[in-house]
Amino acid sequence: MDWDPFVLARIQFAANISFHILFPAISIGLAWVLFYFRARYTLSGDRAWEYAYYFWVKVFALTFAMGVVSGITMSFQFGTNWPGFMERAGNVAGPLLGYEVLTAFFLEASFLGIMLFGKDRVSNKMHLISAFLVAVGTLLSAFWILSLNSWMQTPAGYSLDEGVVTVESWWRIIFNPSFPYRFFHMTLASLLTSAFLIAGVSAWRARAGLAGPGTWKVLRTGVAIAAVAAPLQIFVGDLHGLNTLEHQPAKVAAMEAIWETQRGAPFTLVALPDGEARKNHLALEIPHAASLILTHRWNGEVRGLDEFIGEHPPVAPVFWSFRVMLAMGVLMLAVAWWGAWSCLRGREPSMPLLRALSWMTFSGWVAVLAGWYVTEIGRQPWIVQGLLRVDSVVADHSSATLTGTLLGYVLLYVFLIFSYMGALRYLSRQEAASLVLVEQGESSGSRQAQEVV
Amino acid sequence: MEYWLPIVYLAIMGLALLVYVILDGYDLGVGMLLPGATDAEKDLMIASIGPFWDANETWIVLGVGVLLIAFPLAHGIILSSLYIPVTLMLLGLILRGVAFDLRVKGGDHRKALWNRAFFVGSLLASVSQGWMLGAYITGLREDITSLLFAGLIAATLPALYVLLGAAWLLMKSEGELFDKAVRWGRRAMLPMGVALLLVSVATPVVSEAIARRWFSLPNAIGLLPIPLVCALVYGGLFWFLNRPELLRRGYAWLVYAGIVLICVMAALGLAFSIFPDVVMGRMTLWEASASVASLQFTLVGVVITLPMIVFYTIYIYRIFHGKARALSYE
């Protein structure tokens, strides 16, 4: 086998980062949901909330562990696969990653121990504080890593000294132009992902006849979060897109498959972008719509890919990922509002709604992956936009070495995804512990009861 | 500033890696001891490390993080030359990290499988770390002697973790598991001693400059405490591990403390050998260092957060102090 080591290194990193992001996408949002459950239990004393907490904290622990181990892998891969990146941009990347470790990783890992095993060892107040600290930790972690990612998309606050990035202003580096948008876009995405996860699993349990009072509370919480976060996400996503247009026009041109700069550019619904011929086949277009969305003018000028020859990303994957993300967003909005409408009328959710919710359990994953493909593939061929090309920082390993390790990673990841889903399924199949509340009456809920919602 | 900052960072990195060995060492060790235990004992062993392992593992992220923040040039060289052992270590850490959760959440019929995965992952990570240490202290060379040497360290270093694991179980267990832990500890002593000896002789053998530093006169006397303390503690450990009745009376922590002392001495010796290089014979810490502005910016964070981390780590250890009980999620 004689594949290009550069391509292999990229596939390896893409595989790792795709696997990794699935878990933070759940845990950032779920940590706050758990804090909410715990707070509700603390305020109301309703054991159903406590059961909800103990069921989902187990899912959280599993998700968090998957995120930690795959995250450690990535922190090493910067060095093993992309040493040039650290040599050239280390002055910026290093401290941002360092702050993530110092402010977030230890905090999350330490207090998660109390969330999981602290029941008889700490007071309820300390338990609640621990849940809060873990949630804060997930958000801090997202803050630093998204700041670095955004800096790679829209670098600012630096100067170059013989090709090496040196710092001019930390403020401008951390709060670089695309950071606020990306941060809100990603935290909302995580909230949506976890909302659909908890609502979907609860709906699945309801359909299987395993639901207790706690299950319904969880379902309503998920639907409520989704109903608020979904429209907000579409709004923030639009702002994020306009920001990208300003700073990374080549990415937007690829997202919309606009090959030539033009006025009154159409919005292409579907097409087969052809990188060789530099045009679209079988395009279905809405006239003037792209200009209208991007410039808010009927005949606004949109810059095309012809202005960035040799410096723009491959079009088809960016174009299609973007459409998958949009479609998922609309679908999530529809299901969330349907659920909210049903909950507001105070009825038990209908069978079709439960079915729709359980189908949507992992919809967040699809949208998150698609979104990240848009933004990361859309940055190519740069690793730091306009500054460092990906092919200039790759380590020099043989393709045999890379093929071997890639195979190892991919096999392990596939195995782990199946195991993760299997564990979720196993946990979801247990009868709800909060059913015990119904049978015994609220007051006598026994401490030894099964700890499943 | 330009002189001192890199030294401060080297100290922080060394400290983080030392804490990693001391803390994650015991939970890796417990993982490697798993096959020798009954099913009930396995549950107890894993319960004993449950609240800690995740934070323990974070110390290596900090260590590598500091390498990356402070010495970006060395980070690339070291990690890309250690590509294969690093990858194997990561696969091991992934496997054991998820096995930890999945063994209780994947259903009873899969528990044996995940126990095995936990063992394999722990062993793989430990062996790879030995390999990495061996390769690093021979200057990342790729000749056959260096490879053989790295192989030897890879084969013996896990014994240090096993010993730490056994010492941890002495503090955390009672009854039969306690007796087993004593036996395990005794068995790990010899290979651990070999590893210690190998690590000590490696650097002077590889580099004449280092040999001169150790064996020239004023230094040799000043350095004498390092091998002396190691030898004394090593003998003390043997003595203690042969007196289980003493260990049972609440002195088990002395075994753990003894190993910690050996680790600290080994780290000091290693630091003395290698300083001021970060990549032996190739790059000093000043050559590898990041810009002063970056180092200063991060130092602010380190000064604020590191004491907090130490503080709440101690707090967590106090909360979960005492003999382990069966794993309970409530």
Side-chain angles (χ1 to χ4, degrees), chain A residues 272-388:
Chain A
L272 296 174
D274 182 343
E276 296 274 304
R278 303 191 67 80
K279 62 180 205 153
N280 298 330
H281 302 291
L282 306 171
L284 184 63
E285 299 171 337
I286 307 175
H288 294 274
S291 282
L292 207 58
I293 295 169
L294 293 168
T295 65
H296 295 237
R297 275 178 299 138
W298 184 250
N299 268 324
E301 187 182 82
V302 179
R303 295 170 74 188
L305 292 156
D306 55 339
E307 294 191 26
F308 311 100
I309 288 185
E311 295 189 348
H312 69 73
V315 178
V318 178
F319 176 84
W320 277 109
S321 302
F322 185 54
R323 266 137 200 84
V324 169
M325 182 187 75
L326 286 185
M328 282 321 287
V330 173
L331 203 59
M332 287 162 107
L333 179 72
V335 175
W337 279 4
W338 178 15
W341 176 69
S342 159
C343 286
L344 282 177
R345 289 197 313 171
R347 289 219 208 128
E348 287 246 316
S350 63
M351 216 40 170
L353 174 60
L354 289 179
R355 202 167 294 138
L357 281 172
S358 41
W359 282 341
M360 295 289 282
T361 305
F362 294 103
S363 55
W365 275 5
V366 178
V368 163
L369 275 183
W372 275 108
Y373 289 160
V374 172
T375 203
E376 297 296 278
I377 301 175
R379 191 193 57 224
Q380 305 298 328
W382 305 100
I383 188 162
V384 180
Q385 178 83 37
L387 201 65
L388 259 185

Side-chain angles (χ1 to χ4, degrees), chain B residues 36-112:
Chain B
T38 64
D39 281 350
E41 286 167 349
K42 284 184 179 125
D43 286 348
L44 210 65
M45 286 162 76
I46 291 187
S48 80
I49 57 179
F52 309 112
W53 74 273
D54 208 337
N56 291 348
E57 214 166 276
T58 311
W59 288 97
I60 200 174
V61 183
L62 180 64
V64 174
V66 173
L67 178 64
L68 182 153
I69 299 162
F71 311 109
L73 300 178
H75 179 263
I77 296 179
I78 293 174
L79 288 190
S80 53
S81 353
L82 295 178
Y83 184 70
I84 292 174
V86 165
T87 307
L88 290 177
M89 175 189 79
L90 293 172
L91 293 175
L93 289 179
I94 292 174
L95 207 56
R96 75 188 288 275
V98 299
F100 198 95
D101 274 286
L102 286 169
R103 63 185 287 286
V104 284
K105 290 167 196 160
D108 285 339
H109 55 295
R110 297 228 180 81
K111 200 165 175 179

Side-chain angles (χ1 to χ4, degrees), chain B residues 175-187:
Chain B
E176 247 171 75
L177 184 55
F178 182 92
D179 296 335
K180 275 190 183 172
V182 176
R183 281 203 298 281
W184 289 332
R186 274 202 294 255
R187 248 177 262 161

Side-chain angles (χ1 to χ4, degrees), chain A residues 180-214:
Chain A
Y181 302 96
R182 199 179 314 276
F183 181 70
F184 284 110
H185 200 43
M186 184 60 203
T187 42
L188 278 171
S190 176
L191 213 52
L192 276 168
T193 305
S194 52
F196 275 97
L197 177 74
I198 63 173
V201 168
S202 304
W204 191 84
R205 287 161 66 70
R207 282 168 60 206
L210 298 167

